[in-house]
Amino acid sequence: MKFPKKYLKLLLSTLLRPPTSVARTSLCVRLIHLFIQQHLIKVLFLASIIISLLFGQVVSAQTQNASVLVEQGIKDYDAGNFHNAIKYWQEALNQYKNNPSRAAVVNENLARAYQQIGENKEAIESLSAAIRDYGAVGNIQQVGRMKSELAQVYSNLGQPRKAIALLCGKLVEKSKISENQGSQEIKCTPESAEQIATKHNDKRGKIAALGILSEAYRLIGNYDQAIEYLHATQQVSPEYDFLVLNSLGNALRSRAQLHELQANSAKQAGIVSKEKEFTNKSAADYNQAREYFQNSIKLAHNQKQPLAEMRGLLNLIQLGSQTNETKVISDETFNNAHEDALKILKDLPDSPTKVYGAIDLAYLQRHSQGTSPFTYCQTQMVSSENEALNLLKSAVLTSNNLQDNRLQSYANGALGHFWECRKDSKQALKYTQTAIIAADKKLSAKDSLYLWEWQAGRILDQENRKEEAIAFYQRAFEILEDIRQDILTAERDVQFDFRDVVRPLYRTLARSRLDLLGVGAIADERRAKELSKVVNTIDALKLAELQNYFGNDCILSGLNPKPVGELLEDNSITFKNTGFLSSIILDGKTGILLQLPNQTTKFKWIEDSNQGGTSKIVSSDRLQKKITEFRSGLIKGEEEVNYDTTNAAQLYDWIIRPFAEDIKPETVKTLVFIQDGFLRTVPMAALYDNQQKKYLVETYAVATTPSLRLTTPKVRDRSTQKALILGLTQQATIDGKAFDALFSVPEEVGAVKSVFSNYTDLMDENFVPESFKQKLEKTTYPVVHIASHAQFGIIPEDTFIVTGKNQKLTISQLENSLRNLNSKLDSVELLALTACETAVGDDRSTLGLAGVALQVGVKSAIASLWSVTDASTAELVKTFYTNYRNARMSIAEALQKAQIRMINAKKLPPSEGINIKYDNPVYWAPMIAIGNWL
């Protein structure tokens, strides 16, 4: 039996319903577009189609009372009274407990109502119940459709992999697709939504499954596969082309953004051909996206689908704003689309699209800065101030009419930001607090709640209500920490704007607490608590940066749940004679925190002392310039007979000397640096104490780690270890970039062999990704030494090791080979990368270097910050490994002694056979110890 007309009306009334969980959908793509801007950049293809597909069977109501309840629910739903609809349907459901066919229909309607008010947890429960009930009565076609709708909810929640599991059962990993193949056809499992639709010749069900699949793949960054599924959808039926074309535009725009990022990475690496290639690909995708949006708008207009037309116009406008410099969209087209959108908006029925559209238009800029409109104050909006205010007020009114907490949160928060930027704190706080209350109801908009808490903190900061502001910042931080797992574990290449949203919040909180310590007299106990909170904030930022860079949570597999302060008080962990120096770079100044086991944390701003005894804060810009000069001087030191220690001494005075009394070498033997930003680009071992006429490494063993919580210091037996030694001596070309032959590699490899009698080596043509993987699968090698170019780019895709036959071992391949061992995950103790190259001018590449050991599953690494094409590397690694095999010496100490030996090159007798020029830090300084330093 078909649906009664009133059921059909309910289903069709939501035909073009936009996703009610847009903000959550954005979790896995671009955090800063959790809301307004990205709402229409990522319109979910099947959120609107899937409801129209649900034409399953239903029988007459079991009782007159239940039938009345169902019909009353339909009336309320149709009128936008979703809470009342839910109440009636819940009552009806209680009467259908023993009738799964009727219960299934009510459950699917309940799911839609829950989605309308942003209660996705309840929607999932209702859809799961519908799947169970339809399965019980053998309506497998409807089971498939319910799986598609459930997949849509998971996709909305930022869990596209769960969506793919329901829709297809198999995931196409992008890393397994070559650049030439693009996308890959895959056979879905029999119980998946896609296969159920195929088996039952359910054309609309198949469109639903393919459409949602495409969006899920776009969300995980596999744009080629997403586009392939959308083209497959077009082959099934052209009925919904106005929606398919809109989704194709979104996918093409996302891929264009990726190509822009790849072009920038190629530019940093100096690969002109690749830069040009990706720039051209980006332009082509942007142009194609424009055509898709324009065609979608035309079809929607002809088919009288105003909601779809509105979404297409807003997508086109946002594309024009994003690509203003390259004029993908002409000014005339942009202005016409803007005017059309304003006209359609006035006549739209109350809906999420109307709310989000009004906010989009209020904050629209002709030249987008690519960040959330709520994290900064726009200076060149398309709308006049009065027009923007009216649009935002209308968004608030519509959200109130819909009684949707999520919409009320965004609308009020957007209006609060409007007043924040106009310095009207009273109005700004009023609307921001309303946004917080709405977002906090049943945590219906938790993924935006942090945004409004942060906004409230900024408003209070403007009024100099510092402690109140900190309380709001802290809550925003805690919420963001709670949802960070979903936000930062998207595929690597879709993490564009982390620095624009997450990092500023964490740094704002840290700075506010640190500034508070400088105001008046602060009791020691209060100071200690505040510093402890600062440490936890900084540590969380560093963990988030690593997740963001690598794009997954593998690096957190060894995360210690204890806060840093508690770790340092844990006597079961070996921190004896070790000091930890953490840096935090803020606007205008940089701070250093010193932590010692079972002692109070010390903090100092980097300052410059003058002869009069007064101090002046060293600006972050000045520090960065000095760091750049220091690194440049080290790299160019090969050209000089005697190294100029001026910059090294200045940095020592700024960073180390203020803590001299706390880290006396009698008690502190090792310094572990947990660095921020550009400070990761230089080796601290080469800082120079002008008073003692010593490099830092001559006094302390030096190591670095991305986070203390990711490092578990532990000494293991090294006396019988095997080594896998890999090397490349030949010239190679990778992605258009030429890598010079490494003539000193044979000597380096020979040096390693002389220390490890039990070894396996793969050289030149024998060293390729497949042979590397095979060796690790057959034998456990606690030490893996790679003597070849290792490039660390500003994105992980440009991070790889050059192998024989002009091939490359990517970070993903390295990770898979080392993590998927048959033996214990920690079987590889030490990874050595002795010819690394980090991108100049971008600290993300050194972030990759700092996290590589942890990411690929090994405990420790030694790696070079830049490549030294000289026999000095062989000299250094031979001494290091000899020391390393001594169980009484830590990894940091082993490296320290090897570096000191080179520093003393001119003092050693000729019998040592060491070149006297090796005292220059260019030869010994770039090698650093990462991770477990013991």
Side-chain angles (χ1 to χ4, degrees):
M1 185 184 296
K2 294 188 184 246
F3 271 119
K5 286 185 178 179
K6 288 186 177 179
Y7 279 88
L8 186 58
K9 185 177 180 182
L10 164 62
L11 298 174
L12 294 177
S13 70
T14 52
L15 174 62
L16 285 168
R17 173 176 57 83
T20 58
S21 302
V22 173
R24 292 184 184 177
T25 298
S26 307
L27 284 177
C28 283
V29 187
R30 297 180 66 184
L31 172 62
I32 74 172
H33 295 288
L34 280 167
F35 33 87
I36 309 312
Q37 280 190 334
Q38 199 62 8
H39 167 66
L40 288 160
I41 289 177
K42 277 186 270 307
V43 171
L44 299 180
F45 171 73
L46 257 294
S48 55
I49 290 182
I50 187 64
I51 307 303
S52 70
L53 304 179
L54 307 177
F55 298 120
Q57 293 184 341
V58 67
V59 296
S60 300
Q62 185 178 2
T63 65
Q64 182 64 28
N65 185 40
S67 177
V68 170
L69 290 170
V70 170
E71 293 201 18
Q72 184 59 50
I74 293 173
K75 289 179 182 178
D76 281 317
Y77 185 99
D78 195 41
N81 299 322
F82 304 119
H83 290 279
N84 285 341
I86 289 170
K87 182 181 72 173
Y88 287 120
W89 287 337
Q90 283 287 10
E91 291 179 28
L93 190 62
N94 289 333
Q95 297 186 33
Y96 288 148
K97 284 182 179 178
N98 298 320
N99 194 323
S101 63
R102 295 177 175 87
V105 174
V106 176
N107 268 313
E108 59 180 276
N109 287 341
L110 273 169
R112 282 176 221 116
Y114 280 129
Q115 288 180 75
Q116 287 284 11
I117 61 174
E119 295 187 5
N120 288 290
K121 181 179 179 183
E122 289 80 1
I124 289 172
E125 291 174 357
S126 295
L127 285 168
S128 298
I131 291 170
R132 178 198 63 213
D133 292 338
Y134 278 126
V137 298
N139 191 342
I140 305 304
Q141 176 175 299
Q142 203 65 5
V143 167
R145 290 173 170 180
M146 291 299 97
K147 284 187 174 184
S148 289
E149 191 162 357
L150 180 57
Q152 182 65 73
V153 178
Y154 278 125
S155 194
N156 290 353
L157 288 168
Q159 300 177 44
R161 292 175 186 277
K162 281 190 176 181
I164 292 170
L166 285 163
L167 295 163
C168 188
K170 294 180 181 179
L171 175 70
V172 180
E173 293 286 0
K174 193 177 59 171
S175 61
K176 295 177 182 178
I177 303 173
S178 73
E179 292 183 5
N180 295 328
Q181 288 177 315
S183 60
Q184 178 177 316
E185 185 176 352
I186 186 169
K187 182 76 171 177
C188 296
T189 57
E191 69 279 4
S192 67
E194 189 272 342
Q195 279 295 292
I196 289 174
T198 301
K199 182 178 179 180
H200 289 81
N201 197 27
D202 180 8
K203 202 173 274 191
R204 292 184 174 181
K206 185 152 186 174
I207 291 173
L210 291 173
I212 302 171
L213 262 174
S214 74
E215 180 61 18
Y217 274 106
R218 195 187 64 76
L219 290 175
I220 64 173
N222 192 338
Y223 308 126
D224 292 335
Q225 198 68 36
I227 293 166
E228 186 74 12
Y229 277 124
L230 286 170
H231 286 318
T233 304
Q234 290 180 300
Q235 298 303 312
V236 177
S237 170
E239 184 177 359
Y240 297 103
D241 264 5
F242 66 96
L243 292 172
V244 177
L245 291 171
N246 189 59
S247 291
L248 278 167
N250 289 326
L252 266 294
R253 173 163 48 184
S254 294
R255 194 169 72 179
Q257 291 173 305
L258 169 59
H259 290 325
E260 280 187 325
L261 192 64
Q262 291 171 324
N264 184 42
S265 183
K267 182 179 180 181
Q268 292 278 7
I271 311 174
V272 177
S273 60
K274 278 291 177 181
E275 178 191 357
K276 184 177 180 180
E277 176 189 339
F278 285 124
T279 299
N280 291 338
K281 284 183 176 181
S282 177
D285 280 350
Y286 276 132
N287 286 321
Q288 185 65 65
R290 180 198 64 227
E291 291 182 20
Y292 282 139
F293 287 142
Q294 289 175 325
N295 290 336
S296 171
I297 293 165
K298 184 177 179 180
L299 286 174
H301 180 79
N302 292 339
Q303 295 181 38
K304 300 188 185 318
Q305 299 286 356
L307 287 172
E309 185 179 0
M310 181 68 176
R311 290 204 298 269
L313 284 167
L314 287 169
N315 277 332
L316 183 65
I317 291 167
Q318 294 289 358
L319 177 63
S321 176
Q322 179 185 341
T323 60
N324 180 53
E325 290 184 1
T326 54
K327 297 295 181 185
V328 170
I329 294 173
S330 69
D331 290 339
E332 181 182 1
T333 300
F334 181 89
N335 293 331
N336 288 340
H338 179 239
E339 290 176 11
D340 290 344
L342 286 171
K343 290 176 185 176
I344 293 174
L345 184 70
K346 292 177 182 178
D347 298 326
L348 282 181
D350 286 350
S351 62
T353 293
K354 188 171 185 177
V355 175
Y356 291 124
I359 301 171
D360 262 352
L361 292 170
Y363 281 103
L364 180 64
Q365 300 174 83
R366 183 60 179 104
H367 177 52
S368 172
Q369 296 185 24
T371 57
S372 161
F374 304 136
T375 59
Y376 70 104
C377 292
Q378 297 86 343
T379 56
Q380 295 181 336
M381 294 195 296
V382 173
S383 298
S384 68
E385 187 168 303
N386 192 52
E387 288 173 335
L389 179 58
N390 288 334
L391 283 166
L392 293 171
K393 285 182 176 179
S394 71
V396 171
L397 180 62
T398 304
S399 70
N400 290 338
N401 292 341
L402 292 169
Q403 298 181 346
D404 186 321
N405 291 328
R406 173 176 293 281
L407 295 176
Q408 289 174 318
S409 171
Y410 281 114
N412 281 279
L415 186 51
H417 182 61
F418 176 90
W419 291 117
E420 175 196 359
C421 292
R422 281 142 191 87
K423 310 296 182 184
D424 189 332
S425 297
K426 183 178 179 181
Q427 289 278 56
L429 274 176
K430 170 187 171 183
Y431 288 106
T432 302
Q433 287 171 339
T434 302
I436 290 171
I437 292 169
D440 210 17
K441 283 182 181 177
K442 294 186 179 181
L443 294 177
S444 61
K446 191 174 181 181
D447 46 5
S448 67
L449 179 56
Y450 87 93
L451 190 69
W452 314 129
E453 297 276 8
W454 181 14
Q455 183 166 292
R458 295 195 306 268
I459 296 165
L460 291 167
D461 238 342
Q462 288 179 1
E463 294 194 315
N464 206 32
R465 295 159 65 179
K466 299 297 183 183
E467 296 212 33
E468 291 176 80
I470 289 173
F472 279 98
Y473 290 147
Q474 183 67 32
R475 283 195 292 273
F477 164 78
E478 290 169 357
I479 294 164
L480 199 48
E481 277 291 281
D482 189 40
I483 64 175
R484 189 182 74 196
Q485 194 78 355
D486 289 329
I487 294 168
L488 298 177
T489 57
E491 288 295 321
R492 296 162 177 166
D493 52 19
V494 295
Q495 298 294 323
F496 298 130
D497 298 309
F498 166 83
R499 302 189 199 194
D500 297 319
V501 174
V502 179
R503 190 161 73 175
L505 170 58
Y506 286 48
R507 293 190 191 282
T508 297
L509 175 58
R511 176 164 188 159
S512 296
R513 290 197 180 281
L514 290 171
D515 285 345
L516 191 65
L517 298 180
V519 179
I522 302 290
D524 289 344
E525 185 177 351
R526 169 78 184 279
R527 178 179 292 274
K529 286 183 179 179
E530 291 296 326
L531 283 176
S532 176
K533 291 176 180 177
V534 170
V535 168
N536 290 336
T537 303
I538 295 171
D539 185 68
L541 172 60
K542 289 177 168 58
L543 292 174
E545 285 180 318
L546 285 166
Q547 273 185 286
N548 172 249
Y549 180 84
F550 288 109
N552 59 46
D553 58 356
C554 287
I555 199 162
L556 301 187
S557 59
L559 181 67
N560 194 311
K562 290 183 179 180
V564 175
E566 290 183 26
L567 282 178
L568 291 173
E569 296 172 358
D570 188 343
N571 293 324
S572 66
I573 302 176
T574 307
F575 291 126
K576 185 180 179 182
N577 301 329
T578 305
F580 302 89
L581 286 164
S582 301
S583 55
I584 176 73
I585 301 169
L586 303 170
D587 290 339
K589 52 186 175 180
T590 300
I592 305 291
L593 294 110
L594 170 66
Q595 294 170 279
L596 296 166
N598 300 305
Q599 292 189 35
T600 303
T601 300
K602 303 288 179 69
F603 172 79
K604 294 183 185 294
W605 294 112
I606 291 183
E607 296 179 329
D608 204 0
S609 301
N610 57 35
Q611 293 180 349
T614 60
S615 298
K616 181 182 179 181
I617 292 287
V618 175
S619 71
S620 297
D621 288 342
R622 185 184 172 198
L623 176 62
Q624 184 171 14
K625 182 180 179 182
K626 186 62 65 176
I627 288 290
T628 301
E629 291 173 354
F630 176 49
R631 177 180 167 116
S632 178
L634 286 171
I635 295 174
K636 294 178 180 178
E638 191 173 0
E639 303 168 6
E640 304 171 2
V641 177
N642 296 308
Y643 172 68
D644 183 354
T645 60
T646 303
N647 289 323
Q650 180 68 82
L651 290 169
Y652 184 99
D653 290 341
W654 286 348
I655 298 171
I656 306 298
R657 198 171 304 285
F659 299 101
E661 291 301 312
D662 303 295
I663 56 170
K664 291 183 177 179
E666 294 81 15
T667 54
V668 176
K669 305 295 183 184
T670 302
L671 289 179
V672 178
F673 289 87
I674 307 169
Q675 297 288 39
D676 190 15
F678 55 77
L679 288 167
R680 287 189 291 261
T681 65
V682 293
M684 292 291 115
L687 299 188
Y688 191 74
D689 183 348
N690 231 348
Q691 294 180 7
Q692 298 295 322
K693 304 302 179 186
K694 287 182 177 181
Y695 290 104
L696 184 67
V697 75
E698 295 182 82
T699 305
Y700 307 98
V702 177
T704 184
T705 183
S707 166
L708 191 56
R709 293 174 63 203
L710 289 173
T711 307
T712 304
K714 190 178 293 185
V715 180
R716 291 177 171 83
D717 179 28
R718 305 166 185 163
S719 59
T720 59
Q721 286 183 340
K722 299 177 184 178
L724 177 60
I725 307 169
L726 309 115
L728 182 69
T729 64
Q730 303 164 343
Q731 183 182 16
T733 302
I734 304 292
D735 297 333
K737 180 179 179 179
F739 290 86
D740 294 335
L742 295 171
F743 299 111
S744 59
V745 162
E747 189 174 350
E748 177 183 338
V749 168
V752 181
K753 290 179 180 179
S754 69
V755 178
F756 293 93
S757 56
N758 193 350
Y759 68 84
T760 299
D761 65 325
L762 295 173
M763 296 294 294
D764 295 330
E765 289 84 357
N766 293 322
F767 171 32
V768 290
E770 188 59 31
S771 63
F772 173 67
K773 180 182 178 182
Q774 290 172 354
K775 290 295 180 184
L776 287 173
E777 287 174 345
K778 293 178 180 178
T779 308
T780 297
Y781 295 97
V783 175
V784 175
H785 183 98
I786 304 178
S788 179
H789 294 285
Q791 175 177 290
F792 285 80
I794 62 176
I795 57 175
E797 285 68 27
D798 286 337
T799 294
F800 56 83
I801 295 164
V802 180
T803 70
K805 298 182 179 179
N806 291 315
Q807 296 183 31
K808 61 182 179 181
L809 180 67
T810 65
I811 191 73
S812 296
Q813 290 172 317
L814 183 64
E815 178 185 328
N816 291 336
S817 295
L818 294 178
R819 281 192 177 273
N820 297 335
L821 300 175
N822 294 326
S823 53
K824 295 180 180 179
L825 289 178
D826 63 353
S827 60
V828 177
E829 298 289 338
L830 177 66
L831 172 67
L833 300 168
T834 60
C836 299
E837 297 177 16
T838 53
V840 179
D842 194 297
D843 57 83
R844 279 180 67 80
S845 62
T846 47
L847 175 66
L849 178 61
V852 65
L854 299 168
Q855 174 66 16
V856 300
V858 302
K859 303 301 181 184
S860 308
I862 60 165
S864 62
L865 284 167
W866 60 85
S867 179
V868 180
T869 56
D870 189 274
S872 59
T873 302
E875 190 72 46
L876 182 68
V877 299
K878 181 177 181 180
T879 309
F880 164 74
Y881 280 126
T882 301
N883 297 335
Y884 170 80
R885 297 296 293 274
N886 183 342
R888 297 180 182 179
M889 197 175 292
S890 71
I891 291 173
E893 288 175 320
L895 182 58
Q896 177 194 28
K897 302 303 181 189
Q899 289 175 322
I900 289 176
R901 181 171 179 271
M902 296 182 75
I903 291 170
N904 293 327
K906 291 177 180 175
K907 302 175 184 178
L908 296 174
S911 58
E912 287 288 327
I914 185 170
N915 193 318
I916 60 171
K917 71 177 183 179
Y918 291 168
D919 67 336
N920 191 313
V922 68
Y923 298 106
W924 55 262
M927 201 69 69
I928 59 175
I930 304 167
N932 175 22
W933 60 91
L934 292 183

